[in-house]
Amino acid sequence: MILKLDNVSVKKFDNCIIKNVSFEVNEGDYLNIVGPNGSGKTTLIKVLTNLTKPTEGIVTFGDYKFGYIPQHLHQAKFMPATVYEVLKLSNLKKVKDSEIDALLDLMNITELKYHKMKQLSGGESQRVYIIRALLSHPDVLILDEPTSALDPSFRDKFYNYIETLHNNGMTIIHVTHDLSEGLRRGSKIIQLDQTIRFSGTFEDFQNFHQHHHDEKGGEHYHV
Amino acid sequence: MFEFLTYPFMIRAILIGVTLAVSTSLISNFLVSSNQSLIGDGLAHISFTGVVIGVLFSNNPLYIAIPIAILASILIKFLMRTNKIHGDTAIGLVSTLALAIGFILISQSSGFNMSVESMLVGSIFSTVWMDVLYSSIIMLLVFTFTIYSYKHLFSISFDSTYAKFSKIKEAYYDYFLAAITAVVVVVGVQTIGTLLVSAFIIFPAVSGSLVAKSFKHMMINSVIINVVVTITGIILGHFLSYPAGASIIVLHGITFGVLYLFKLIRRIE
């Protein structure tokens, strides 16, 4: 077991952001967590990355190394840090230069190695954060809207690469508001809207919404 | 022409100036990068009161002023980290309160034998060898801390959330950086004055970043700028009979202005 959430709720000023969320992630899973804006995805990610403790419920983490690609970049605006410095210094363990070079090449940003982070575009800095996460050699990769700032041509390349990582044994937790993005890949899906609305495989998801649609005339999701 | 270099008070002034310049510029890079420039200013005000209490109750004010400043820095950090009030607000609250207490103590005590002005703008020409020793020890302490924790301090300043995620003991370094700043500031207030200490925490890093190609470059720039400006300021102060502390700050202001213009022009080109 990689991680397990047991009846997890997070409250902020008496407001319930997420409520009674329970699920388990196992080795080799490719889990998509989808939900609209304001559904508590960001808070759930904070719980998954151990940056927030739940108000109620229990989170259990297995003995695995986690990698994290954040959506919101908290980087210091006035710091002249270069791409190389960020990649070299952001991991607890020592990082080899050859490894940095290989990943820069893979992400097509070799020429940006000595550029300052604050001069990069959104897509360019997101690629740096992807490399930063990969340099920690994670067993589990948590992706928070990873392609929101990437141009469409690179998006496919990015997801193909994630799929390769997954095929090589990495567990993927992919969080997105874009249902079509969430449904294209992976093996499991969780639909979040404060609490879990749906949890299961793609086929189940389609059937569930087909059923839902037929009964209530609600929205129909196409895969 | 270089006769002034034979005066012991001048040698002491330059040694103290340079050692404190190195200490403050090393710390200032991390503080300015993580939007904490005001913490130096706040701690300088608190140290002012710490030194006042120290002068009143002890032969060596440092023994009392240092613990007071460290406690205050921990209190400020605690208030900042609870997220109940904004960081700047926490600094403002604690530092103005401390300054007010300092002035009350001065007004009520007959035994206070230091001029308030000298505490504000410093009296770098009237120091003793013991002060040189203290500021040198502080410089070694800061230097070791920076080298040893460079990687972690960089990560925290750049992206504290990711640092926390990476299991870097972010809170520990945050408190420790504040505490070590407090110690530097106290020694600074006693020799170069409250005003100059605040300037020392802000100017070198900001000027250094204007012409830096990387963060490491910014660190090196800030140390060079601060040391050159400090020595020039002390010598100018001596020859023109200006207060040395104030001269150093004005020189820092000029340096910043020139580098800022240089950057603007280069961008337009």
Side-chain angles (χ1 to χ4, degrees):
Chain A
M1 184 226 22
I2 298 229
L3 65 86
K4 190 179 173 188
L5 272 69
D6 209 357
N7 265 319
V8 167
S9 300
V10 178
K11 283 181 190 164
K12 221 177 205 173
F13 306 114
D14 290 338
N15 261 343
C16 222
I17 315 284
I18 52 173
K19 205 175 167 184
N20 296 332
V21 171
S22 303
F23 64 87
E24 197 176 310
V25 181
N26 291 305
E27 222 173 298
D29 279 355
Y30 191 136
L31 171 69
N32 289 288
I33 299 175
V34 293
N37 291 331
S39 59
K41 291 196 303 288
T42 308
T43 305
L44 181 60
I45 285 173
K46 280 190 180 162
V47 173
L48 297 179
T49 47
N50 208 2
L51 290 170
T52 290
K53 296 265 174 277
T55 328
E56 282 164 35
I58 300 165
V59 187
T60 322
F61 291 98
D63 192 15
Y64 292 92
K65 224 183 287 160
F66 285 72
Y68 169 43
I69 302 173
Q71 175 197 12
H72 298 292
L73 314 172
H74 301 273
Q75 66 178 61
K77 264 191 229 149
F78 297 103
M79 197 170 168
T82 62
V83 170
Y84 174 72
E85 283 180 313
V86 169
L87 296 177
K88 186 79 179 171
L89 302 171
S90 291
N91 278 305
L92 262 183
K93 280 195 180 151
K94 246 196 166 138
V95 175
K96 277 188 201 151
D97 282 5
S98 58
E99 220 179 332
I100 292 178
D101 291 340
L103 284 163
L104 283 170
D105 185 45
L106 187 84
M107 294 290 156
N108 282 335
I109 48 170
T110 302
E111 72 284 0
L112 300 179
K113 186 173 174 186
Y114 296 111
H115 283 223
K116 285 180 213 166
M117 287 299 294
K118 56 182 179 182
Q119 290 167 341
L120 304 188
S121 71
E124 287 165 344
S125 35
Q126 201 145 22
R127 290 184 210 193
V128 176
Y129 294 114
I130 293 166
I131 299 176
R132 179 176 69 174
L134 294 176
L135 281 171
S136 65
H137 298 284
D139 306 307
V140 188
L141 194 56
I142 300 174
L143 309 138
D144 183 5
E145 309 271 5
T147 56
S148 55
L150 295 181
D151 51 83
S153 59
F154 188 72
R155 204 170 287 191
D156 280 335
K157 198 178 167 196
F158 169 75
Y159 277 118
N160 289 341
Y161 181 65
I162 296 295
E163 220 147 76
T164 316
L165 292 174
H166 178 237
N167 292 338
N168 288 332
M170 199 183 281
T171 304
I172 310 287
I173 302 175
H174 175 221
V175 181
T176 178
H177 73 278
D178 185 351
L179 198 65
S180 63
E181 204 62 82
L183 291 180
R184 261 167 68 192
R185 301 164 187 86
S187 50
K188 277 186 182 171
I189 188 155
I190 282 177
Q191 198 185 5
L192 185 78
D193 200 354
Q194 204 185 41
T195 184
I196 292 182
R197 297 274 171 225
F198 172 84
S199 166
T201 63
F202 281 165
E203 292 74 29
D204 295 343
F205 186 75
Q206 267 183 301
N207 293 337
F208 171 78
H209 281 285
Q210 182 69 50
H211 182 69
H212 211 67
H213 175 75
D214 293 345
E215 256 187 9
K216 294 186 177 172
E219 208 179 335
H220 189 187
Y221 294 105
H222 293 282
V223 180
Chain B
M1 187 193 168
F2 292 104
E3 201 192 43
F4 65 93
L5 283 175
T6 58
Y7 307 141
F9 75 88
M10 197 61 179
I11 297 169
R12 282 195 298 266
I14 290 178
L15 284 176
I16 288 177
V18 168
T19 44
L20 284 173
V22 173
S23 315
T24 46
S25 14
L26 288 175
I27 306 174
S28 77
N29 288 283
F30 301 109
L31 293 174
V32 169
S33 294
S34 52
N35 296 328
Q36 299 188 63
S37 355
L38 274 179
I39 201 166
D41 194 55
L43 284 174
H45 291 133
I46 293 158
S47 303
F48 173 86
T49 300
V51 173
V52 168
I53 298 173
V55 169
L56 289 175
F57 297 105
S58 159
N59 288 330
N60 191 336
L62 285 185
Y63 295 154
I64 291 181
I66 287 180
I68 289 179
I70 291 179
L71 282 177
S73 70
I74 292 172
L75 177 65
I76 290 178
K77 271 285 145 200
F78 175 76
L79 288 174
M80 283 169 97
R81 295 180 67 90
T82 50
N83 265 339
K84 294 272 188 288
I85 50 175
H86 195 265
D88 294 349
T89 319
I91 296 170
L93 278 180
V94 180
S95 67
T96 46
L97 185 67
L99 200 60
I101 294 171
F103 278 113
I104 290 176
L105 284 173
I106 291 174
S107 76
Q108 291 303 305
S109 97
S110 49
F112 194 74
N113 54 7
M114 248 174 128
S115 95
V116 174
E117 191 202 336
S118 86
M119 288 184 70
L120 281 176
V121 292
S123 48
I124 199 166
F125 290 129
S126 51
T127 51
V128 291
W129 285 108
M130 209 54 178
D131 294 325
V132 179
L133 180 72
Y134 286 132
S135 54
S136 306
I137 293 173
I138 297 288
M139 184 182 73
L140 276 178
L141 186 76
V142 173
F143 192 75
T144 317
F145 171 67
T146 316
I147 297 289
Y148 181 74
S149 329
Y150 180 72
K151 189 174 165 172
H152 293 168
L153 289 173
F154 174 92
S155 300
I156 294 164
S157 309
F158 180 72
D159 184 347
S160 61
T161 310
Y162 194 80
K164 260 183 249 168
F165 169 77
S166 306
K167 305 214 164 44
I168 290 171
K169 292 188 182 97
E170 185 263 341
Y172 164 84
Y173 284 101
D174 198 25
Y175 279 112
F176 205 80
L177 183 62
I180 210 164
T181 309
V183 177
V184 175
V185 165
V186 170
V187 176
V189 163
Q190 234 206 343
T191 49
I192 58 176
T194 309
L195 212 59
L196 184 55
V197 165
S198 312
F200 262 14
I201 299 274
I202 303 177
F203 273 110
V206 178
S207 298
S209 77
L210 286 176
V211 282
K213 289 194 177 87
S214 65
F215 183 71
K216 195 171 156 191
H217 203 180
M218 170 182 174
M219 300 264 304
I220 298 168
N221 286 349
S222 68
V223 173
I224 295 173
I225 291 173
N226 209 9
V227 168
V228 172
V229 163
T230 302
I231 295 176
T232 319
I234 289 172
I235 295 172
L236 272 182
H238 171 70
F239 280 114
L240 303 174
S241 305
Y242 288 171
S247 313
I248 295 171
I249 301 178
V250 171
L251 275 179
H252 259 308
I254 295 171
T255 312
F256 170 78
V258 170
L259 292 176
Y260 192 80
L261 272 177
F262 171 74
K263 204 173 174 179
L264 268 186
I265 292 168
R266 232 179 34 173
R267 195 171 289 169
I268 293 164
E269 277 174 356

